[in-house]
mmCIF file of all heavy atoms in Angstrom:
data_model
loop_
_atom_site.group_PDB
_atom_site.id
_atom_site.type_symbol
_atom_site.label_atom_id
_atom_site.label_comp_id
_atom_site.label_asym_id
_atom_site.label_seq_id
_atom_site.Cartn_x
_atom_site.Cartn_y
_atom_site.Cartn_z
ATOM 1 N N LEU H 10 36.715 -23.423 40.121
ATOM 2 C CA LEU H 10 37.026 -23.284 41.537
ATOM 3 C C LEU H 10 38.492 -22.901 41.676
ATOM 4 O O LEU H 10 39.368 -23.547 41.103
ATOM 5 C CB LEU H 10 36.763 -24.615 42.231
ATOM 6 C CG LEU H 10 36.918 -24.684 43.754
ATOM 7 C CD1 LEU H 10 35.890 -23.810 44.425
ATOM 8 C CD2 LEU H 10 36.770 -26.129 44.212
ATOM 9 N N VAL H 11 38.748 -21.846 42.429
ATOM 10 C CA VAL H 11 40.129 -21.387 42.587
ATOM 11 C C VAL H 11 40.330 -20.902 44.015
ATOM 12 O O VAL H 11 39.404 -20.370 44.633
ATOM 13 C CB VAL H 11 40.450 -20.268 41.572
ATOM 14 C CG1 VAL H 11 39.559 -19.067 41.783
ATOM 15 C CG2 VAL H 11 41.911 -19.872 41.620
ATOM 16 N N GLN H 12 41.529 -21.082 44.498
ATOM 17 C CA GLN H 12 41.845 -20.652 45.843
ATOM 18 C C GLN H 12 42.020 -19.139 45.887
ATOM 19 O O GLN H 12 42.489 -18.528 44.914
ATOM 20 C CB GLN H 12 43.123 -21.327 46.333
ATOM 21 C CG GLN H 12 43.408 -21.131 47.816
ATOM 22 C CD GLN H 12 44.546 -22.009 48.302
ATOM 23 O OE1 GLN H 12 45.344 -22.524 47.509
ATOM 24 N NE2 GLN H 12 44.622 -22.213 49.600
ATOM 25 N N ALA H 13 41.661 -18.539 47.008
ATOM 26 C CA ALA H 13 41.864 -17.097 47.179
ATOM 27 C C ALA H 13 43.330 -16.759 46.928
ATOM 28 O O ALA H 13 44.228 -17.462 47.382
ATOM 29 C CB ALA H 13 41.440 -16.672 48.567
ATOM 30 N N GLY H 14 43.534 -15.682 46.190
ATOM 31 C CA GLY H 14 44.881 -15.302 45.796
ATOM 32 C C GLY H 14 45.314 -15.876 44.484
ATOM 33 O O GLY H 14 46.337 -15.471 43.926
ATOM 34 N N GLY H 15 44.534 -16.801 43.976
ATOM 35 C CA GLY H 15 44.867 -17.450 42.717
ATOM 36 C C GLY H 15 44.389 -16.675 41.514
ATOM 37 O O GLY H 15 43.897 -15.542 41.625
ATOM 38 N N SER H 16 44.540 -17.306 40.360
ATOM 39 C CA SER H 16 44.217 -16.652 39.087
ATOM 40 C C SER H 16 43.279 -17.512 38.268
ATOM 41 O O SER H 16 43.211 -18.732 38.446
ATOM 42 C CB SER H 16 45.507 -16.405 38.290
ATOM 43 O OG SER H 16 46.440 -15.647 39.022
ATOM 44 N N LEU H 17 42.600 -16.850 37.356
ATOM 45 C CA LEU H 17 41.677 -17.541 36.466
ATOM 46 C C LEU H 17 41.573 -16.734 35.181
ATOM 47 O O LEU H 17 41.665 -15.502 35.217
ATOM 48 C CB LEU H 17 40.305 -17.665 37.128
ATOM 49 C CG LEU H 17 39.405 -18.853 36.763
ATOM 50 C CD1 LEU H 17 40.105 -20.175 37.026
ATOM 51 C CD2 LEU H 17 38.115 -18.766 37.554
ATOM 52 N N ARG H 18 41.389 -17.431 34.089
ATOM 53 C CA ARG H 18 41.226 -16.750 32.805
ATOM 54 C C ARG H 18 39.901 -17.168 32.187
ATOM 55 O O ARG H 18 39.696 -18.342 31.883
ATOM 56 C CB ARG H 18 42.359 -17.086 31.852
ATOM 57 C CG ARG H 18 42.309 -16.323 30.527
ATOM 58 C CD ARG H 18 43.409 -16.779 29.601
ATOM 59 N NE ARG H 18 43.640 -15.868 28.499
ATOM 60 C CZ ARG H 18 43.735 -16.246 27.228
ATOM 61 N NH1 ARG H 18 43.616 -17.525 26.921
ATOM 62 N NH2 ARG H 18 43.974 -15.361 26.280
ATOM 63 N N LEU H 19 39.019 -16.199 32.010
ATOM 64 C CA LEU H 19 37.746 -16.449 31.369
ATOM 65 C C LEU H 19 37.839 -16.093 29.895
ATOM 66 O O LEU H 19 38.543 -15.162 29.521
ATOM 67 C CB LEU H 19 36.649 -15.621 32.026
ATOM 68 C CG LEU H 19 36.492 -15.751 33.538
ATOM 69 C CD1 LEU H 19 35.309 -14.919 34.016
ATOM 70 C CD2 LEU H 19 36.339 -17.204 33.954
ATOM 71 N N SER H 20 37.102 -16.855 29.098
ATOM 72 C CA SER H 20 37.060 -16.580 27.667
ATOM 73 C C SER H 20 35.618 -16.468 27.210
ATOM 74 O O SER H 20 34.715 -17.044 27.816
ATOM 75 C CB SER H 20 37.757 -17.696 26.885
ATOM 76 O OG SER H 20 39.129 -17.758 27.208
ATOM 77 N N CYS H 21 35.434 -15.737 26.141
ATOM 78 C CA CYS H 21 34.111 -15.565 25.556
ATOM 79 C C CYS H 21 34.274 -15.654 24.042
ATOM 80 O O CYS H 21 35.012 -14.870 23.442
ATOM 81 C CB CYS H 21 33.525 -14.225 25.955
ATOM 82 S SG CYS H 21 31.945 -13.817 25.166
ATOM 83 N N ALA H 22 33.592 -16.617 23.459
ATOM 84 C CA ALA H 22 33.629 -16.792 22.015
ATOM 85 C C ALA H 22 32.356 -16.235 21.405
ATOM 86 O O ALA H 22 31.249 -16.546 21.873
ATOM 87 C CB ALA H 22 33.770 -18.269 21.675
ATOM 88 N N ALA H 23 32.507 -15.420 20.386
ATOM 89 C CA ALA H 23 31.368 -14.778 19.744
ATOM 90 C C ALA H 23 31.154 -15.334 18.349
ATOM 91 O O ALA H 23 32.102 -15.594 17.611
ATOM 92 C CB ALA H 23 31.593 -13.274 19.665
ATOM 93 N N SER H 24 29.906 -15.500 17.994
ATOM 94 C CA SER H 24 29.569 -15.935 16.639
ATOM 95 C C SER H 24 29.359 -14.710 15.759
ATOM 96 O O SER H 24 29.258 -13.585 16.240
ATOM 97 C CB SER H 24 28.293 -16.775 16.663
ATOM 98 O OG SER H 24 27.200 -15.957 17.051
ATOM 99 N N GLY H 25 29.278 -14.927 14.475
ATOM 100 C CA GLY H 25 28.992 -13.832 13.560
ATOM 101 C C GLY H 25 30.240 -13.147 13.053
ATOM 102 O O GLY H 25 31.330 -13.294 13.603
ATOM 103 N N ARG H 26 30.044 -12.365 11.998
ATOM 104 C CA ARG H 26 31.165 -11.711 11.350
ATOM 105 C C ARG H 26 31.291 -10.249 11.715
ATOM 106 O O ARG H 26 32.089 -9.529 11.145
ATOM 107 C CB ARG H 26 31.015 -11.842 9.833
ATOM 108 C CG ARG H 26 31.118 -13.271 9.342
ATOM 109 C CD ARG H 26 30.900 -13.354 7.851
ATOM 110 N NE ARG H 26 29.514 -13.080 7.496
ATOM 111 C CZ ARG H 26 29.067 -13.064 6.250
ATOM 112 N NH1 ARG H 26 29.886 -13.277 5.250
ATOM 113 N NH2 ARG H 26 27.803 -12.826 6.000
ATOM 114 N N THR H 27 30.484 -9.804 12.692
ATOM 115 C CA THR H 27 30.486 -8.378 13.033
ATOM 116 C C THR H 27 31.055 -8.114 14.410
ATOM 117 O O THR H 27 30.805 -7.081 15.009
ATOM 118 C CB THR H 27 29.049 -7.832 12.976
ATOM 119 O OG1 THR H 27 28.232 -8.560 13.900
ATOM 120 C CG2 THR H 27 28.486 -7.952 11.579
ATOM 121 N N PHE H 28 31.824 -9.051 14.916
ATOM 122 C CA PHE H 28 32.358 -8.930 16.278
ATOM 123 C C PHE H 28 33.099 -7.621 16.475
ATOM 124 O O PHE H 28 32.990 -6.979 17.511
ATOM 125 C CB PHE H 28 33.284 -10.114 16.534
ATOM 126 C CG PHE H 28 33.941 -10.103 17.881
ATOM 127 C CD1 PHE H 28 33.199 -10.342 19.026
ATOM 128 C CD2 PHE H 28 35.301 -9.857 18.007
ATOM 129 C CE1 PHE H 28 33.797 -10.345 20.278
ATOM 130 C CE2 PHE H 28 35.909 -9.852 19.247
ATOM 131 C CZ PHE H 28 35.159 -10.093 20.383
ATOM 132 N N SER H 29 33.844 -7.201 15.495
ATOM 133 C CA SER H 29 34.670 -6.001 15.634
ATOM 134 C C SER H 29 33.852 -4.714 15.695
ATOM 135 O O SER H 29 34.404 -3.646 15.937
ATOM 136 C CB SER H 29 35.676 -5.917 14.476
ATOM 137 O OG SER H 29 35.002 -5.836 13.242
ATOM 138 N N ARG H 30 32.548 -4.794 15.479
ATOM 139 C CA ARG H 30 31.688 -3.623 15.573
ATOM 140 C C ARG H 30 31.168 -3.399 16.989
ATOM 141 O O ARG H 30 30.501 -2.399 17.258
ATOM 142 C CB ARG H 30 30.491 -3.761 14.632
ATOM 143 C CG ARG H 30 30.858 -3.853 13.168
ATOM 144 C CD ARG H 30 29.607 -3.975 12.301
ATOM 145 N NE ARG H 30 29.921 -4.180 10.893
ATOM 146 C CZ ARG H 30 29.008 -4.376 9.952
ATOM 147 N NH1 ARG H 30 27.731 -4.396 10.274
ATOM 148 N NH2 ARG H 30 29.387 -4.563 8.714
ATOM 149 N N PHE H 31 31.481 -4.338 17.878
ATOM 150 C CA PHE H 31 30.931 -4.294 19.220
ATOM 151 C C PHE H 31 31.994 -3.990 20.269
ATOM 152 O O PHE H 31 33.089 -4.581 20.249
ATOM 153 C CB PHE H 31 30.283 -5.626 19.583
ATOM 154 C CG PHE H 31 29.045 -5.928 18.803
ATOM 155 C CD1 PHE H 31 29.114 -6.536 17.559
ATOM 156 C CD2 PHE H 31 27.795 -5.614 19.319
ATOM 157 C CE1 PHE H 31 27.974 -6.828 16.844
ATOM 158 C CE2 PHE H 31 26.649 -5.902 18.608
ATOM 159 C CZ PHE H 31 26.726 -6.506 17.367
ATOM 160 N N ALA H 32 31.648 -3.088 21.178
ATOM 161 C CA ALA H 32 32.411 -3.007 22.420
ATOM 162 C C ALA H 32 32.013 -4.222 23.251
ATOM 163 O O ALA H 32 30.876 -4.686 23.170
ATOM 164 C CB ALA H 32 32.084 -1.721 23.164
ATOM 165 N N MET H 33 32.944 -4.727 24.019
ATOM 166 C CA MET H 33 32.678 -5.932 24.809
ATOM 167 C C MET H 33 32.847 -5.645 26.291
ATOM 168 O O MET H 33 33.664 -4.799 26.686
ATOM 169 C CB MET H 33 33.634 -7.052 24.392
ATOM 170 C CG MET H 33 33.522 -7.473 22.935
ATOM 171 S SD MET H 33 31.887 -8.115 22.516
ATOM 172 C CE MET H 33 31.843 -9.599 23.546
ATOM 173 N N GLY H 34 32.076 -6.348 27.078
ATOM 174 C CA GLY H 34 32.162 -6.139 28.510
ATOM 175 C C GLY H 34 32.016 -7.434 29.274
ATOM 176 O O GLY H 34 31.531 -8.435 28.748
ATOM 177 N N TRP H 35 32.476 -7.378 30.509
ATOM 178 C CA TRP H 35 32.262 -8.480 31.445
ATOM 179 C C TRP H 35 31.509 -7.925 32.652
ATOM 180 O O TRP H 35 31.822 -6.833 33.164
ATOM 181 C CB TRP H 35 33.593 -9.081 31.911
ATOM 182 C CG TRP H 35 34.269 -9.959 30.898
ATOM 183 C CD1 TRP H 35 35.222 -9.589 29.995
ATOM 184 C CD2 TRP H 35 34.045 -11.361 30.694
ATOM 185 N NE1 TRP H 35 35.602 -10.678 29.236
ATOM 186 C CE2 TRP H 35 34.905 -11.770 29.649
ATOM 187 C CE3 TRP H 35 33.222 -12.313 31.297
ATOM 188 C CZ2 TRP H 35 34.947 -13.094 29.196
ATOM 189 C CZ3 TRP H 35 33.270 -13.610 30.840
ATOM 190 C CH2 TRP H 35 34.124 -14.000 29.809
ATOM 191 N N PHE H 36 30.538 -8.693 33.078
ATOM 192 C CA PHE H 36 29.756 -8.361 34.253
ATOM 193 C C PHE H 36 29.721 -9.590 35.149
ATOM 194 O O PHE H 36 30.007 -10.701 34.709
ATOM 195 C CB PHE H 36 28.328 -7.971 33.860
ATOM 196 C CG PHE H 36 28.253 -6.732 33.012
ATOM 197 C CD1 PHE H 36 28.510 -6.785 31.654
ATOM 198 C CD2 PHE H 36 27.921 -5.517 33.578
ATOM 199 C CE1 PHE H 36 28.450 -5.643 30.861
ATOM 200 C CE2 PHE H 36 27.858 -4.368 32.801
ATOM 201 C CZ PHE H 36 28.125 -4.438 31.443
ATOM 202 N N ARG H 37 29.347 -9.386 36.385
ATOM 203 C CA ARG H 37 29.198 -10.531 37.279
ATOM 204 C C ARG H 37 27.979 -10.323 38.164
ATOM 205 O O ARG H 37 27.559 -9.203 38.424
ATOM 206 C CB ARG H 37 30.444 -10.727 38.133
ATOM 207 C CG ARG H 37 30.720 -9.616 39.145
ATOM 208 C CD ARG H 37 32.049 -9.850 39.832
ATOM 209 N NE ARG H 37 32.334 -8.830 40.842
ATOM 210 C CZ ARG H 37 33.490 -8.720 41.484
ATOM 211 N NH1 ARG H 37 34.482 -9.572 41.225
ATOM 212 N NH2 ARG H 37 33.659 -7.768 42.392
ATOM 213 N N GLN H 38 27.436 -11.437 38.594
ATOM 214 C CA GLN H 38 26.293 -11.381 39.497
ATOM 215 C C GLN H 38 26.420 -12.481 40.531
ATOM 216 O O GLN H 38 26.476 -13.667 40.179
ATOM 217 C CB GLN H 38 24.976 -11.511 38.739
ATOM 218 C CG GLN H 38 23.763 -11.272 39.621
ATOM 219 C CD GLN H 38 22.507 -11.030 38.816
ATOM 220 O OE1 GLN H 38 22.393 -11.430 37.667
ATOM 221 N NE2 GLN H 38 21.545 -10.347 39.432
ATOM 222 N N ALA H 39 26.458 -12.081 41.776
ATOM 223 C CA ALA H 39 26.494 -13.020 42.890
ATOM 224 C C ALA H 39 25.079 -13.222 43.398
ATOM 225 O O ALA H 39 24.209 -12.364 43.188
ATOM 226 C CB ALA H 39 27.394 -12.466 43.993
ATOM 227 N N PRO H 40 24.811 -14.327 44.070
ATOM 228 C CA PRO H 40 23.461 -14.585 44.583
ATOM 229 C C PRO H 40 22.957 -13.447 45.462
ATOM 230 O O PRO H 40 23.659 -12.980 46.355
ATOM 231 C CB PRO H 40 23.647 -15.873 45.391
ATOM 232 C CG PRO H 40 24.816 -16.539 44.760
ATOM 233 C CD PRO H 40 25.735 -15.425 44.347
ATOM 234 N N GLY H 41 21.762 -12.978 45.175
ATOM 235 C CA GLY H 41 21.160 -11.930 45.972
ATOM 236 C C GLY H 41 21.678 -10.536 45.693
ATOM 237 O O GLY H 41 21.274 -9.584 46.357
ATOM 238 N N LYS H 42 22.556 -10.408 44.716
ATOM 239 C CA LYS H 42 23.130 -9.100 44.392
ATOM 240 C C LYS H 42 22.805 -8.704 42.956
ATOM 241 O O LYS H 42 22.475 -9.538 42.127
ATOM 242 C CB LYS H 42 24.644 -9.118 44.601
ATOM 243 C CG LYS H 42 25.064 -9.335 46.046
ATOM 244 C CD LYS H 42 26.559 -9.165 46.213
ATOM 245 C CE LYS H 42 26.973 -9.323 47.670
ATOM 246 N NZ LYS H 42 28.447 -9.135 47.840
ATOM 247 N N GLU H 43 22.926 -7.428 42.702
ATOM 248 C CA GLU H 43 22.661 -6.926 41.359
ATOM 249 C C GLU H 43 23.841 -7.219 40.438
ATOM 250 O O GLU H 43 24.970 -7.449 40.880
ATOM 251 C CB GLU H 43 22.400 -5.418 41.413
ATOM 252 C CG GLU H 43 21.115 -5.046 42.128
ATOM 253 C CD GLU H 43 20.823 -3.564 42.049
ATOM 254 O OE1 GLU H 43 21.653 -2.815 41.511
ATOM 255 O OE2 GLU H 43 19.750 -3.167 42.523
ATOM 256 N N CYS H 44 23.550 -7.154 39.162
ATOM 257 C CA CYS H 44 24.586 -7.320 38.151
ATOM 258 C C CYS H 44 25.613 -6.198 38.307
ATOM 259 O O CYS H 44 25.260 -5.031 38.423
ATOM 260 C CB CYS H 44 23.951 -7.281 36.772
ATOM 261 S SG CYS H 44 25.107 -7.543 35.421
ATOM 262 N N GLU H 45 26.873 -6.574 38.283
ATOM 263 C CA GLU H 45 27.960 -5.626 38.533
ATOM 264 C C GLU H 45 28.913 -5.593 37.349
ATOM 265 O O GLU H 45 29.400 -6.625 36.900
ATOM 266 C CB GLU H 45 28.727 -6.042 39.796
ATOM 267 C CG GLU H 45 29.910 -5.163 40.143
ATOM 268 C CD GLU H 45 30.715 -5.706 41.307
ATOM 269 O OE1 GLU H 45 30.522 -6.870 41.680
ATOM 270 O OE2 GLU H 45 31.558 -4.955 41.833
ATOM 271 N N PHE H 46 29.196 -4.419 36.874
ATOM 272 C CA PHE H 46 30.151 -4.239 35.790
ATOM 273 C C PHE H 46 31.571 -4.453 36.304
ATOM 274 O O PHE H 46 31.913 -3.944 37.388
ATOM 275 C CB PHE H 46 30.012 -2.821 35.226
ATOM 276 C CG PHE H 46 31.203 -2.341 34.458
ATOM 277 C CD1 PHE H 46 31.480 -2.840 33.197
ATOM 278 C CD2 PHE H 46 32.055 -1.398 35.002
ATOM 279 C CE1 PHE H 46 32.584 -2.401 32.489
ATOM 280 C CE2 PHE H 46 33.155 -0.941 34.306
ATOM 281 C CZ PHE H 46 33.430 -1.446 33.049
ATOM 282 N N VAL H 47 32.405 -5.208 35.542
ATOM 283 C CA VAL H 47 33.777 -5.420 35.990
ATOM 284 C C VAL H 47 34.828 -5.041 34.943
ATOM 285 O O VAL H 47 35.991 -4.803 35.303
ATOM 286 C CB VAL H 47 34.023 -6.873 36.460
ATOM 287 C CG1 VAL H 47 33.214 -7.186 37.704
ATOM 288 C CG2 VAL H 47 33.755 -7.875 35.352
ATOM 289 N N ALA H 48 34.458 -4.990 33.665
ATOM 290 C CA ALA H 48 35.466 -4.624 32.664
ATOM 291 C C ALA H 48 34.801 -4.377 31.318
ATOM 292 O O ALA H 48 33.792 -4.988 31.001
ATOM 293 C CB ALA H 48 36.509 -5.731 32.502
ATOM 294 N N THR H 49 35.395 -3.480 30.534
ATOM 295 C CA THR H 49 34.931 -3.256 29.175
ATOM 296 C C THR H 49 36.111 -2.908 28.288
ATOM 297 O O THR H 49 37.118 -2.387 28.766
ATOM 298 C CB THR H 49 33.864 -2.151 29.109
ATOM 299 O OG1 THR H 49 33.394 -2.028 27.758
ATOM 300 C CG2 THR H 49 34.435 -0.811 29.537
#
């Protein structure tokens, strides 16, 4: 939970030894909305 105008840092930990072979992305989905791409 964060106030409007504030900041947040999300992290994603991956298992396996092949992480460097993958492009990574972040997506988001709000209730009633489609999955939305936000970063890669």
Side-chain angles (χ1 to χ4, degrees):
L10 185 65
V11 61
Q12 190 170 18
S16 304
L17 209 57
R18 184 184 196 228
L19 306 183
S20 296
C21 174
S24 66
R26 294 177 290 179
T27 59
F28 178 71
S29 61
R30 298 181 185 177
F31 292 86
M33 299 299 295
W35 284 94
F36 297 80
R37 67 186 182 188
Q38 188 164 23
K42 296 187 178 181
E43 293 185 356
C44 182
E45 178 186 14
F46 160 73
V47 294
T49 183

